[in-house]
Amino acid sequence: MPRAVTLIRSAALSDVAEYAYAATAPAEARLIFLAGACPLNEDGSTAAVGDYAGQAAKAVENMRTALKDAGASLEDVISTRVLVASTRQEDLGTAWKVVREAFGDHDVPSTLMGVTVLGYTDQLVEIEAVAAVLDA
């Protein structure tokens, strides 16, 4: 199945970042805009309270579900924004490692941000994403 997303790397930019610097999708692609994937259990409770890695994993799991319901997968994601409620770079790195590993070789352009607070009680991580698919 052909993919809509093309990741773009630049030899003129640092290779320290663990993601492509840009991505494109053709005009005929259907874009899917995901709400922030939160680390919520099915009953609405917050998963992995106090655990950045655990919350990142649950947010990725919930993002996979939303993508599947929209006819897509992680390989169709064109960009992400990872929000982490912390002022410590170590906590951001902990959440990022989980997200980065979930995407594997599909290292989409991403922004990692420390924020003051997120919307749900005990929430530490949220992942926004945009995906692009070619419908048959």
Side-chain angles (χ1 to χ4, degrees):
M1 164 190 248
R3 297 279 182 199
V5 177
T6 300
L7 301 179
I8 300 168
R9 295 163 190 0
S10 174
L13 296 172
S14 170
D15 63 356
V16 171
E18 295 180 316
Y19 47 80
Y21 279 99
T24 63
E28 65 271 16
R30 175 172 54 93
L31 296 179
I32 302 166
F33 298 88
L34 282 79
C38 300
L40 298 179
N41 296 312
E42 197 171 319
D43 67 1
S45 63
T46 302
V49 172
D51 179 1
Y52 288 93
Q55 288 201 7
K58 183 62 175 177
V60 167
E61 177 186 326
N62 290 344
M63 183 172 54
R64 285 182 195 267
T65 299
L67 285 164
K68 182 179 177 188
D69 290 346
S73 69
L74 286 183
E75 292 77 26
D76 298 308
V77 170
I78 196 166
S79 68
T80 67
R81 182 177 297 124
V82 181
L83 309 170
V84 182
S86 180
T87 59
R88 296 174 2 128
Q89 284 184 322
E90 175 184 323
D91 297 334
L92 276 68
T94 296
W96 172 250
K97 182 178 179 188
V98 172
V99 174
R100 178 69 187 89
E101 287 176 359
F103 277 88
D105 291 338
H106 188 65
D107 54 347
V108 300
S110 298
T111 299
L112 176 62
M113 297 173 48
V115 299
T116 304
V117 66
L118 292 166
Y120 293 99
T121 302
D122 297 319
Q123 182 183 1
L124 300 172
V125 178
E126 187 163 332
I127 307 167
E128 297 178 17
V130 176
V133 295
L134 297 171
D135 292 320

